Amino acid sequence: MTDALWVLLLALLVAAALVAVRRRLPVLFWWLVGYPAVTLRVLATYRATMDACGLTVPASAVRRATARMLGRQAAPVPPCRSLPLPTGSGLVMRLRMAAGQAPEDFNASADRLRHAWGAHAVHVRPTKPGRLELRLVGWDVLTDVRPTRRWLRTEPLTLPLALREDGHWHVRDFRTVPHELILGATQSGKSVYLRNLLCGLARQPVALVGIDCKWGVELAPFGPRLSALADTPDRANDLLDVLVEEMEARFRLIGMRGGAGPDAVLTSDVWGLPEKARPVPVVVVVDEVAELFLAASKDDEKRRDAMVTKLIRLAQLGRAAGIYLEVCGQRFGAELGKGATMLRAQLTGRVCHRVNDETSANMALGDIAPEAALAATRIPAGRPGVAVVGDSSGGWSRVRSPHLTLEDAAAVCRDTSGLIPELPRLETFRPVVAQPSAVPAAQPSARPVTG
């Protein structure tokens, strides 16, 4: 009886330890328990599961003839597969599709495969004609997202910002997707995504320009690293004038370099110029874009139309000049006024957090994929940071940004303040940063006791 109690106690301790490991260290639990269990399930039920999901094809004539000779019936043939290889968040198999099959057939059966094999999610990705990658995710990787420890890519203006639901990182590449629209309601995680973006860019030789018409309350903490900051509509209008002038000067530089001589390298953007002559990239962050569209009088309407026109010019022509836009807001719709839809068409990158209305989700993702807009409207309020990311190619995915506090983000901007490039046109818009005083605060004098 004593031995049985010891065995029961040991089993309970092991079970409790596995539960704790699963909650605290899901990666370790996956390698110890999840991957072996799911792999055995996949290998044991692969043919039956594919047949039940309608992903098999009739046997070939040779197999049917062989089966008749043996007095058997030829079973349907599933797609050829590789061994299930482990990943950091699941496993991956490479399939060779049979004749007549398409990746859409596997996408339609992804949910059934998930339930059959006990995975958290199943993602299908075509790799080349006739072949695809079947990726199983072992648990909800968006529950606890931490910053990536290492990033092997060293290209400029490229940084990982959020973890996708398939375990890969969503990488913001400004040279591929030059302009982006970021939407999200209050407490949806939009500000955290923006902090990760600014901190990633602050470590690179990039000029950061902020437009925050809420008196700079959102972007002022990053002032030590900003080359320019406009905190009112009037200053925003003047700053956009300077940015347009900077863009025109860069185009003149590109034209002069292209016609410098018979041996000159022809180029249509700044990245084709020699490195020494290449102007520094400029990233313009527009926070609460709706504030730029609001107009209470005729004068405000004229200023709004002028600012929207300048933003559209920067969006249309800025990529070649090395000027990129990050437009953020709580909502974005056609009712904001003239030019809103035209500006959105130039912002090919889209990030939609939880929003307060369906119109904003459709404005952000409706022209990319209707199912992406539907997914954005279903983001729960209890999971800040979760967003739907898409681009003009039609692809989309759920992502979540690693949590970054405002204090940590501001500290990164202070530490990288020495990387601010020299742009004479923006000097007048450089934010004034209060220097910490080295003199200790005076202590209040003690008052005499009166009675």
Side-chain angles (χ1 to χ4, degrees):
M1 186 65 179
T2 305
D3 294 339
L5 288 176
W6 277 110
V7 171
L8 179 60
L9 180 60
L10 182 61
L12 291 176
L13 290 176
V14 171
L18 290 177
V19 171
V21 169
R22 184 175 185 178
R23 292 183 179 180
R24 299 293 182 88
L25 300 171
V27 178
L28 179 60
F29 180 83
W30 169 254
W31 284 96
L32 293 176
V33 180
Y35 171 67
V38 175
T39 300
L40 291 176
R41 192 181 301 120
V42 170
L43 295 177
T45 64
Y46 178 75
R47 181 183 293 271
T49 301
M50 288 292 173
D51 190 19
C53 294
L55 298 176
T56 56
V57 294
S60 64
V62 176
R63 289 191 177 186
R64 291 198 302 270
T66 304
R68 283 195 300 268
M69 292 175 59
L70 298 176
R72 299 178 182 177
Q73 184 177 2
V77 179
C80 295
R81 58 161 179 82
S82 67
L83 290 175
L85 300 178
T87 64
S89 58
L91 59 86
V92 61
M93 290 190 301
R94 291 171 178 83
L95 306 183
R96 186 177 66 189
M97 294 180 289
Q101 291 183 328
E104 289 75 14
D105 302 331
F106 293 84
N107 278 319
S109 301
D111 199 47
R112 285 178 284 180
L113 294 175
R114 176 177 72 90
H115 287 288
W117 289 332
H120 176 76
V122 173
H123 300 277
V124 179
R125 185 178 68 89
T127 55
K128 56 183 179 180
R131 298 178 183 271
L132 56 83
E133 183 181 271
L134 200 66
R135 182 176 294 270
L136 278 68
V137 180
W139 73 96
D140 187 3
V141 296
L142 301 184
T143 300
D144 183 18
V145 179
R146 299 181 182 181
T148 177
R149 294 183 178 180
R150 59 178 181 175
W151 182 242
L152 301 180
R153 299 175 63 178
T154 58
E155 293 88 347
L157 294 173
T158 302
L159 58 154
L161 291 180
L163 185 65
R164 294 193 329 213
E165 59 183 347
D166 60 357
H168 291 292
W169 280 90
H170 164 62
V171 180
R172 178 75 171 96
D173 187 353
F174 284 84
R175 297 182 63 180
T176 303
V177 182
H179 312 302
E180 188 174 61
L181 175 64
I182 306 171
L183 294 183
T186 304
Q187 300 297 322
S188 66
K190 173 175 62 69
S191 299
V192 175
Y193 181 90
L194 188 59
R195 292 171 197 164
N196 282 279
L197 174 70
L198 289 172
C199 287
L201 292 174
R203 299 182 177 96
Q204 301 187 17
V206 178
L208 297 177
V209 175
I211 298 178
D212 182 7
C213 290
K214 295 192 304 182
W215 296 276
V217 295
E218 291 287 345
L219 299 182
F222 314 110
R225 183 58 180 83
L226 297 180
S227 298
L229 176 62
D231 53 4
T232 63
D234 291 331
R235 285 184 60 82
N237 191 25
D238 297 337
L239 179 56
L240 288 174
D241 283 331
V242 172
L243 290 173
V244 172
E245 292 176 3
E246 178 70 20
M247 180 181 67
E248 293 172 351
R250 295 186 175 198
F251 275 114
R252 288 193 294 269
L253 175 63
I254 295 172
M256 292 171 58
R257 288 284 178 173
D263 297 331
V265 178
L266 298 179
T267 181
S268 59
D269 57 37
V270 296
W271 296 103
L273 297 174
E275 188 174 355
K276 293 183 179 180
R278 186 185 305 160
V280 65
V282 178
V283 177
V284 183
V285 179
V286 182
D287 192 70
E288 285 306 333
V289 65
E291 294 292 330
L292 297 180
F293 286 89
L294 295 179
S297 62
K298 292 291 184 180
D299 294 337
D300 291 342
E301 290 181 0
K302 294 180 180 179
R303 181 183 58 198
R304 176 198 64 190
D305 294 342
M307 287 193 293
V308 173
T309 301
K310 296 165 192 173
L311 281 175
I312 293 174
R313 287 194 65 192
L314 290 173
Q316 289 178 333
L317 306 174
R319 184 201 64 81
I323 299 177
Y324 309 99
L325 292 180
E326 288 288 326
V327 179
C328 313
Q330 293 189 23
R331 59 172 289 102
F332 197 90
E335 70 277 2
L336 291 179
K338 178 182 177 182
T341 305
M342 186 180 297
L343 176 61
R344 182 202 64 162
Q346 304 297 327
L347 308 175
T348 51
R350 310 288 174 79
V351 180
C352 185
H353 296 77
R354 178 180 54 83
V355 290
N356 293 325
D357 59 307
E358 188 177 352
T359 302
S360 296
N362 290 328
M363 196 71 173
L365 302 168
D367 59 333
I368 293 178
E371 60 272 18
L374 182 61
T377 60
R378 294 179 175 177
I379 297 176
R383 301 196 71 181
V386 176
V388 176
V389 171
D391 54 42
S392 56
S393 66
W396 65 277
S397 178
R398 294 180 184 86
V399 301
R400 192 174 192 181
S401 308
H403 182 66
L404 181 63
T405 64
L406 182 60
E407 291 78 8
D408 292 340
V412 171
C413 291
R414 287 193 301 268
D415 296 339
T416 57
S417 59
L419 297 178
I420 297 179
E422 294 184 4
L423 289 175
R425 288 186 176 88
L426 300 179
E427 285 297 328
T428 57
F429 295 93
R430 179 77 63 85
V432 178
V433 180
Q435 298 295 332
S437 177
V439 180
Q443 297 294 330
S445 57
R447 295 183 180 181
V449 179
T450 60

